[in-house]
Amino acid sequence: MTPENLFHQMLGLGNEWAVTSCQFDPQTHLVTLHVRETEQFWKFYRCPQDGGEAFCYDHTEELVWRHLNVFEHKCEIHCRLPRARCRTCQKTQRVLPPWEGLSMHFTKGFEAMALLLLREMPVLTVAEMLDETDTRLWRMIFLHTLAAYQHKDMSQVTCVGVDEMNIRKGREYLTIFADLKEKAVLFATEGRDKETWDRFIAQWEKHEGHRHQLTQVSMDMSKAYSSGVAEWCRNAQVVFDKYHVISHINAAVDQVRKYELRYGPQSVQGALRKTLWIWRKNPENLTEKEKLRLAGIDHKNIWTAKAYQMRLVFQDIYRSSDAAEAKRRFQIWCRWVRMVAAQAPRYYFAAMLGSAKMVLKHLDGILAHWKEKITNAFMEGLNSVFSATKRRARGYRSSTHLIAILYLISAKLKIPFH
Ligand SMILES: [Zn+2]
């Protein structure tokens, strides 16, 4: 078997293409395969527009595609592609070779391998590994995510989670919509205002979805998102996401700590110094050292400790078996906060009071949690994917780049799209 035959078989080119020569340059470590069409090719080739017979009009100049390495050596396919003229419509067009990927510089095999790596590693790292430019890799990512996204079926979506993600410290945001049952990103867009919903609904309906099939939507208590739902989706029940609700209480506990650390008596200030993380954690997650520290704090005289107790009880309410029990306990909890706040020095419990008010005001949406127990846990997980994405996209922090990576990794798209 000649080397040409061997490569021809490995490439799976069939009777319509032939490897006419192959070279290895030991200086550049490059394997070059020259390919061209055979007589046989023209027997079967038909015009893609009308199926008419076509003949060879001429050939392009030599084009190059990066293919999978041969051992550790780079490999390229070189070919002067035929241009076919259709006898029916008289159009002349470049023939689409079977090896070509979505980006015209790479073969399908190379793209599939690169995309596999890109799911796990930053673009720059992959570019270095493959000895390619990151510009070319980005172009490929865009082509595949765009093509695969256009074919994404969203007709079965009924439970949606919506959340904001920070791109640049508090200045730029993306809003992400996800299918909470399939655990897949549906749509990501710039901003975090009500208009993000307009764009989502438009996009969803392009993908066989319908606004009124939405039954539950999980979100934080921000006004923008819930008014978007109210405007578009009359059948949707708003569920305030458990993690967001608890994080409000957590933030309030932290406010109490800050106040007490600044205005409390000397002894209390000493006890509270560097305890931020202790109050944020659950007791079972404390390290031995933190447990000792917590045990050494005189809880009776420290308001922060009371607020912390409240947070633990609040979390425990989420273990209630039904919404009625949870409702009763949330109401008792709010009374408890008001009572303690009345005894505490002025302003100490302002944030906790605010939380209690918020809980009462949003009680319906908070209790909706007990219907299907949906949460944005999947989306919280995205946050870590997302911060990895930000690192992955290093140097390319535009929202377009970030969205493309998010779709590549978390949208369950059919990628590579060949
Ligand atoms: Zn034609």
Side-chain angles (χ1 to χ4, degrees), residues 47-52 86-91 93:
C47 169
Q49 268 76 44
D50 51 32
C86 171
R87 293 190 197 277
T88 314
C89 65
Q90 303 297 323
K91 267 188 198 140
Q93 52 191 326

Side-chain angles (χ1 to χ4, degrees), residues 162 192-198 201 217 219-234 236 238 240 362:
V162 54
R192 52 169 175 171
D193 46 19
K194 192 171 138 286
E195 281 66 44
T196 58
W197 267 94
D198 307 356
I201 296 290
V217 48
M219 62 174 74
D220 67 10
M221 284 170 285
S222 89
K223 251 223 157 99
Y225 292 150
S226 54
S227 60
V229 178
E231 184 175 326
W232 288 107
C233 311
R234 60 164 183 245
V238 169
F240 292 121
H362 294 91

Side-chain angles (χ1 to χ4, degrees), residues 88-121:
T88 314
C89 65
Q90 303 297 323
K91 267 188 198 140
T92 307
Q93 52 191 326
R94 170 186 178 278
V95 159
L96 201 68
W99 58 83
E100 186 171 76
L102 287 191
S103 44
M104 290 193 304
H105 294 294
F106 299 144
T107 65
K108 285 177 179 163
F110 184 83
E111 287 189 345
M113 185 267 304
L115 286 162
L116 204 64
L117 295 176
L118 287 163
R119 282 172 184 269
E120 310 295 333
M121 279 179 272

